Amino acid sequence: MLRQRVLTALVLIPLALLGLFGLSGVGFALFTAVVVLLAAWEWANLSGFERVGPRLGYMLVLAVAMLAAWNMEVMTATWPLWLALFGWLVSFYWIATYPDSLKQWSRPWLRLLAGLWVLLPCWIGFVQLRASGAEWLLYVLLMVWLADIGAYFAGRRFGRRKLAPRVSPGKSWEGVYGGMVVTAVLAIGFAIALELGIGRGLGLIVTTVVVTLASVLGDLLESMFKRVRGIKDSGDLLPGHGGVLDRIDSLTAAVPLFALLRLWG
């Protein structure tokens, strides 16, 4: 297993860096679209569709929505990001009230619908952030990765109070606080490096803390769906690492919200 993880990482890391920072415009949009469509393949499974046909059909629906968004100049609009915010507020309610909320989203078609507000705005947010400058794309990626690292170590060292025991028993409030501290330090460093000034620097810190909290929802929503499906990983596309969705679940919430707060602010 360890060998698989290392080999997969050696292939994926250079590929991801090349795609995310070596491409721009249409090339970047296509690269991120492929990643999100692979996640859609796994989301259909989370929704209860195991057969190839329905899963390919769901990918096709999302691909058509992406093409429509691109051709209708939706890529520069903020309303898809507002849609994502509304969707994540609904997701927060589902997670906070699980398992009582199960009857509200247990039907497979409802989970497929939820996937549209998770995946499509995530792709649009990626494209908008890349267009606004590679530094902000780098920033949101670092934010999510460092939040995960901070949460892991703080949770192991100080974790006492469970965050959502019925959804993901391993997560604690102390882990969340640890992730927030680490990303707040990242925001301070970025504000100084980019010479944002006190006002914009404080805005970046507040935005970072809010988006860090939102990234936890992305992880929890996938965990909840996997728990209901009785599976450990969203898929097996990445040997030793599970599925694509397992790697980007936090980003699905963080990217559109960060893009919204950057553009709206």
Side-chain angles (χ1 to χ4, degrees):
M1 179 64 73
L2 178 60
R3 183 183 179 184
Q4 275 189 331
R5 289 180 65 89
V6 172
L7 290 175
T8 301
L10 289 176
V11 173
L12 285 181
I13 290 175
L15 181 62
L17 291 175
L18 177 62
L20 291 171
F21 301 105
L23 298 174
S24 60
V26 176
F28 178 84
L30 287 174
F31 175 80
T32 49
V34 169
V35 175
V36 172
L37 287 173
L38 290 175
W41 165 266
E42 297 172 350
W43 191 279
N45 182 40
L46 289 184
S47 301
F49 295 93
E50 298 184 33
R51 296 174 58 186
V52 171
R55 296 172 74 177
L56 287 176
Y58 187 60
M59 291 177 69
L60 179 61
V61 168
L62 185 58
V64 170
M66 288 175 164
L67 185 61
W70 185 269
N71 289 330
M72 296 172 63
E73 298 183 356
V74 174
M75 306 306 294
T76 57
T78 58
W79 68 261
L81 307 179
W82 284 106
L83 175 64
L85 175 59
F86 173 77
W88 284 110
L89 289 175
V90 173
S91 301
F92 171 73
Y93 174 77
W94 286 349
I95 293 166
T97 58
Y98 179 81
D100 294 336
S101 66
L102 182 58
K103 59 182 180 293
Q104 299 177 15
W105 52 267
S106 59
R107 294 183 180 181
W109 70 269
L110 286 173
R111 278 177 278 172
L112 287 181
L113 183 61
L116 293 180
W117 80 50
V118 169
L119 298 174
L120 184 58
C122 176
W123 177 64
I124 293 174
F126 262 119
V127 174
Q128 291 190 7
L129 284 177
R130 183 66 179 88
S132 69
E135 68 273 14
W136 293 114
L137 177 63
L138 174 63
Y139 182 81
V140 74
L141 293 173
L142 287 174
M143 185 200 317
V144 170
W145 293 335
L146 290 176
D148 285 344
I149 294 171
Y152 175 77
F153 285 105
R156 288 199 62 179
R157 177 64 179 83
F158 304 107
R160 296 292 185 273
R161 295 176 297 163
K162 298 297 183 182
L163 175 63
R166 296 180 178 181
V167 175
S168 184
K171 289 182 173 55
S172 66
W173 279 106
E174 290 79 6
V176 173
Y177 299 148
M180 291 167 62
V181 169
V182 172
T183 56
V185 172
L186 171 68
I188 294 170
F190 234 72
I192 294 173
L194 297 181
E195 300 180 349
L196 297 182
I198 295 177
R200 293 178 63 196
L202 288 175
L204 180 61
I205 293 171
V206 172
T207 296
T208 297
V209 171
V210 171
V211 175
T212 298
L213 287 171
S215 70
V216 179
L217 288 179
D219 192 322
L220 289 175
L221 183 66
E222 192 206 3
S223 294
M224 185 172 69
F225 281 9
K226 286 194 295 187
R227 180 170 293 276
V228 170
R229 282 283 287 115
I231 56 179
K232 182 177 182 294
D233 298 319
S234 64
D236 55 6
L237 294 175
L238 306 177
H241 291 265
V244 172
L245 196 55
D246 293 325
R247 303 279 69 82
I248 69 167
D249 52 2
S250 297
L251 288 169
T252 58
V255 166
L257 181 56
F258 185 74
L260 176 62
L261 293 176
R262 277 236 351 117
L263 294 172
W264 189 44

